[in-house]
Amino acid sequence: MIFSKKIRTICLFTLFLFYPLTFFYSSTKDARRVKDIKNNVFANQELLNPIFNKLYNLEKSKKGKINIVHIGDSHIQADFFTNAIRSELQSKFGNGGYGFTFPYSLVKTNGTRNVRYSSNASWQSLRNVLPIADVGVGLSGIALYTSSNDFVLQLYTEEGYEFTNVKVIYPDKESHYKMSISADPLEVTGAAPTGSTSGTSIKYHKVKKGETLSSISRKYRVTVAQVKKANGMKSNTIRLNQSLKIPTKTTAKPVQVRSRETNLDTENLKFVNMLSKPYYSSYTSDSAINRITLVPDGKTAMYNLNGFVIENNEPGVVYHTIGVNGAKMTDYIKYPLFFKQLPILEPDLIILSFGTNESFGKMSDTEYIFQLNEFINNIKAYCKNATILVMTPPPSMFRKGRQNTFVADYSVALMGINYLPVWDLYSRMSGDSAIRPRGDYASMIARDKVHYTTGGYEAQGQLFISDFLNAYNNYKSKYDK
């Protein structure tokens, strides 16, 4: 009995002695890594020289525009993080216009406050995170569609984002829209009408030798999570000859409805002449405007929009943002139209911010890099001259405060590649310790321990712009001597 007590005492003493040392070692290791990343904020920084050269020429000549396209998930959709970057870049290099915008408010989801929308019609949406549909999910990552053939849609901007150039983006090669720049502000009366519906079909796949859940998902252009959900699976393990349910193409079923009454007589509006090309129509105004009005041009079963681009005639930076709540890289990859429409933005620099949703799917760092390469190959097929910069995901936690080690693994894997410039947001925020109690971002992370407050996102944006401009100034110093 005495011997047992001694053993227990020794065991407890050993546990309390070495547990702090283990924690100290881990924390010290993280601290060293943070110190290293602060000294080397970009991996492969020299690969940013093409965009730095363009910025240098813009700053010197005060001519032309530089288009930056930032693509990602919910961290990007809200536009807090990206707007902080946009504001600083446009303050230094000139405001070339707001850029790409999507009517998030019409489908009751979050988006920027700088561009507003109103409509008399009921608009339906389908995010790229859902099974493939025939409603034309394109550049926005979200399909926006209505069957109302008397809809009126109005876009208007806040002060400081007036524009002269407009692009209306749609999934068809021909336009079904007319645009007015002189219509009064839209006023809508009456109850909201109902819109169209959609359904999901199921296919069955028999597992063959050598197949994985990931390869099967890519074959049908759905996500691993969707296949697991359809089959009630808790792991990625599959067996030979197993029959899997595959959620596939959904079909939008138009329900013809009349839109609500408005104050506008659309029959007598003055419409401008737009130049139409496959997937978009454009118009340039002689003077700055802050409002456009879109109506149908002829009747069709479904009116589908992928977004708008608004710019001005001033030289400077145009910072486009594309984000979808819950999206992973595979969700964009399964819609080829996204990549076909990307050249409409004429990107000089494309920034990719993914990893949070992949981490919650317990994706390995190897698979993450594989999907990143596939995403980049799709971009390069249509935007060969664009520089691509990758950001690591910010720290987050799983339920019950469990550490999300996957995002840390992605950070290490990304900083280890040699063919892309990478900015390590995860380490710049001091990793997992940043969102622990008394961490620098503890008060800036939301209750779900995944998303951040407005101030948290803005702080992340300031981190990036500080590092980016420091790197640019170092590049510029070589030419200013």
Side-chain angles (χ1 to χ4, degrees), residues 48-253:
L48 289 172
N49 286 352
I51 191 66
F52 287 161
N53 185 56
K54 291 180 180 180
L55 288 168
Y56 180 77
N57 291 333
L58 173 62
E59 188 177 21
K60 285 290 185 183
S61 68
K62 301 293 190 293
K63 292 180 181 179
K65 292 183 187 290
I66 291 178
N67 286 283
I68 300 175
V69 183
H70 201 148
I71 307 167
D73 47 30
S74 56
H75 299 307
I76 306 304
Q77 179 175 323
D79 196 36
F80 298 129
F81 173 45
T82 45
N83 193 54
I85 301 171
R86 178 190 294 111
S87 298
E88 293 294 332
L89 286 176
Q90 291 183 338
S91 176
K92 181 173 179 62
F93 298 102
N95 181 350
Y98 184 80
F100 180 78
T101 171
F102 181 77
Y104 295 109
S105 60
L106 296 186
V107 291
K108 297 179 174 57
T109 187
N110 60 313
T112 182
R113 299 173 184 175
N114 295 318
V115 184
R116 307 292 180 109
Y117 292 88
S118 61
S119 180
N120 64 331
S122 174
W123 292 85
Q124 305 297 308
S125 68
L126 188 136
R127 293 181 297 148
N128 60 11
V129 300
L130 298 173
I132 296 173
D134 63 350
V135 291
V137 178
L139 190 58
S140 55
I142 306 175
L144 179 75
Y145 56 95
T146 185
S147 58
S148 299
N149 57 27
D150 57 347
F151 77 83
V152 180
L153 186 154
Q154 199 163 83
L155 173 158
Y156 52 102
T157 61
E158 298 296 311
E159 185 178 352
Y161 282 103
E162 293 82 3
F163 52 93
T164 54
N165 306 315
V166 184
K167 291 178 181 176
V168 181
I169 306 174
Y170 39 79
D172 306 309
K173 294 197 173 181
E174 295 182 357
S175 174
H176 300 291
Y177 308 100
K178 296 187 291 186
M179 188 173 76
S180 171
I181 63 171
S182 56
D184 292 334
L186 180 64
E187 297 176 8
V188 179
T189 59
T194 57
S196 57
T197 61
S198 60
T200 303
S201 60
I202 295 291
K203 283 186 178 180
Y204 289 86
H205 176 88
K206 192 173 184 179
V207 177
K208 300 179 181 63
K209 186 177 180 180
E211 288 186 321
T212 65
L213 202 58
S214 181
S215 66
I216 293 169
S217 300
R218 285 197 295 271
K219 177 180 179 180
Y220 290 97
R221 291 162 60 194
V222 296
T223 66
V224 170
Q226 288 165 355
V227 176
K228 289 171 69 175
K229 183 178 180 181
N231 292 273
M233 300 168 62
K234 293 184 178 180
S235 73
N236 290 358
T237 303
I238 55 176
R239 63 182 184 277
L240 186 65
N241 296 325
Q242 181 179 355
S243 180
L244 293 175
K245 295 178 183 178
I246 310 293
T248 57
K249 195 173 187 178
T250 61
T251 302
K253 302 174 183 178

Side-chain angles (χ1 to χ4, degrees), residues 147-150 176-177 256 258 296-303:
S147 58
S148 299
N149 57 27
D150 57 347
H176 300 291
Y177 308 100
Q256 289 293 337
R258 281 198 61 79
D297 186 9
K299 291 187 177 182
T300 186
M302 191 76 70
Y303 300 92

Side-chain angles (χ1 to χ4, degrees), residues 174-353:
E174 295 182 357
S175 174
H176 300 291
Y177 308 100
K178 296 187 291 186
M179 188 173 76
S180 171
I181 63 171
S182 56
D184 292 334
L186 180 64
E187 297 176 8
V188 179
T189 59
T194 57
S196 57
T197 61
S198 60
T200 303
S201 60
I202 295 291
K203 283 186 178 180
Y204 289 86
H205 176 88
K206 192 173 184 179
V207 177
K208 300 179 181 63
K209 186 177 180 180
E211 288 186 321
T212 65
L213 202 58
S214 181
S215 66
I216 293 169
S217 300
R218 285 197 295 271
K219 177 180 179 180
Y220 290 97
R221 291 162 60 194
V222 296
T223 66
V224 170
Q226 288 165 355
V227 176
K228 289 171 69 175
K229 183 178 180 181
N231 292 273
M233 300 168 62
K234 293 184 178 180
S235 73
N236 290 358
T237 303
I238 55 176
R239 63 182 184 277
L240 186 65
N241 296 325
Q242 181 179 355
S243 180
L244 293 175
K245 295 178 183 178
I246 310 293
T248 57
K249 195 173 187 178
T250 61
T251 302
K253 302 174 183 178
V255 179
Q256 289 293 337
V257 294
R258 281 198 61 79
S259 302
R260 290 174 288 177
E261 297 295 324
T262 76
N263 61 316
L264 302 180
D265 181 2
T266 57
E267 296 294 329
N268 293 312
L269 289 179
K270 183 179 179 181
F271 296 103
V272 298
N273 293 320
M274 292 195 291
L275 176 63
S276 294
K277 295 183 178 181
Y279 305 127
Y280 75 99
S281 296
S282 61
Y283 172 76
T284 300
S285 172
D286 293 331
S287 57
I289 55 178
N290 70 345
R291 183 172 62 250
I292 60 169
T293 303
L294 210 66
V295 300
D297 186 9
K299 291 187 177 182
T300 186
M302 191 76 70
Y303 300 92
N304 193 322
L305 289 166
N306 297 127
F308 300 83
V309 179
I310 52 174
E311 300 179 7
N312 55 43
N313 283 332
E314 300 299 320
V317 169
V318 183
Y319 202 96
H320 311 270
T321 62
I322 302 168
V324 179
N325 292 340
K328 299 186 284 291
M329 288 180 284
T330 52
D331 295 315
Y332 286 91
I333 290 170
K334 71 189 183 190
Y335 283 101
L337 183 61
F338 171 81
F339 300 98
K340 291 179 181 178
Q341 291 182 337
L342 195 54
I344 295 173
L345 304 182
E346 303 176 21
D348 297 291
L349 172 65
I350 297 174
I351 303 175
L352 304 181
S353 291

Side-chain angles (χ1 to χ4, degrees), residues 417-436:
I417 63 179
N418 60 9
Y419 52 89
L420 288 170
V422 179
W423 181 68
D424 195 351
L425 171 60
Y426 180 84
S427 294
R428 283 294 277 121
M429 292 177 64
S430 300
D432 178 72
S433 63
I435 55 176
R436 295 285 178 184

